[in-house]
Amino acid sequence: MRAMMSKLRLTVNEQKTRRCQLPEDTFTFLGYTFGRHYSRQTGGSYVGPRPALKKVRKLCREISEVTDRRTCPRDTEEEVGKLNQKLNGWANYFCLGPVVRVYGVVMQHVRRRLRRWLCHKHKVRSGEYARFPNAYLHDELGLAQLGATGRRLLWANA
């Protein structure tokens, strides 16, 4: 491999390079973790990609930064637009493999952070969910929702 890479004038990073045996081992490449998965329909195993846990955590951190208390002076439409832009870009890249559960985790985090942001903006002390249910976030404010199919972004108001 080193000889092939040197012909291409590329260097091998010794710290990141390792040999792994699929399907027992996993490896991460370009934000995806490749390894063994199990089909929800058949229960059979297959080798494929899924979004890396590190990338999911990074997205959740970025969403938390966008919905920080310091951003409360922003207009609500601007805030939702920033969240939609981030979700849209992330979902368009991370659409391979079993993503339904990952999308569910991301959407739960987005909704919780947006509710918190709205409560702080409007000085609401309790009843976050009652005041701002999912239908309000998606239908009224236009928050994008990651698709139930796990393959694309669905716009709630489309």
Side-chain angles (χ1 to χ4, degrees), residues 29-127:
F29 182 68
L30 296 176
Y32 281 98
T33 299
F34 292 84
R36 181 181 296 177
H37 300 287
Y38 295 93
S39 171
R40 295 176 85 182
Q41 284 90 15
T42 65
S45 66
Y46 65 95
V47 175
R50 70 178 180 270
L53 184 60
K54 184 177 176 181
K55 295 297 180 180
V56 175
R57 287 182 179 153
K58 181 180 177 190
L59 174 66
C60 289
R61 262 194 321 274
E62 290 173 359
I63 289 168
S64 295
E65 289 172 11
V66 169
T67 57
D68 190 62
R69 290 178 178 212
R70 293 173 290 194
T71 64
C72 281
R74 273 193 208 141
D75 191 35
T76 303
E77 292 82 24
E78 181 184 350
E79 188 74 12
V80 172
K82 286 187 177 291
L83 289 172
N84 285 346
Q85 188 177 22
K86 193 160 286 296
L87 287 172
N88 191 13
W90 194 86
N92 284 336
Y93 183 79
F94 290 105
C95 61
L96 298 176
V99 293
V100 175
R101 289 183 183 165
V102 173
Y103 283 180
V105 168
V106 169
M107 286 310 301
Q108 183 179 9
H109 182 73
V110 170
R111 289 182 194 120
R112 185 176 348 109
R113 291 297 303 187
L114 183 57
R115 278 189 192 102
R116 235 183 240 174
W117 184 86
L118 288 166
C119 285
H120 190 50
K121 180 176 181 68
H122 298 295
K123 296 180 177 37
V124 175
R125 292 190 184 269
S126 64

Side-chain angles (χ1 to χ4, degrees), residues 76-77 80-81 83-84 87 114 134-145 154-158:
T76 303
E77 292 82 24
V80 172
L83 289 172
N84 285 346
L87 287 172
L114 183 57
N134 289 348
Y136 176 77
L137 298 179
H138 296 291
D139 298 339
E140 300 292 322
L141 298 181
L143 179 66
Q145 184 169 337
L154 297 177
W155 294 96
N157 55 0

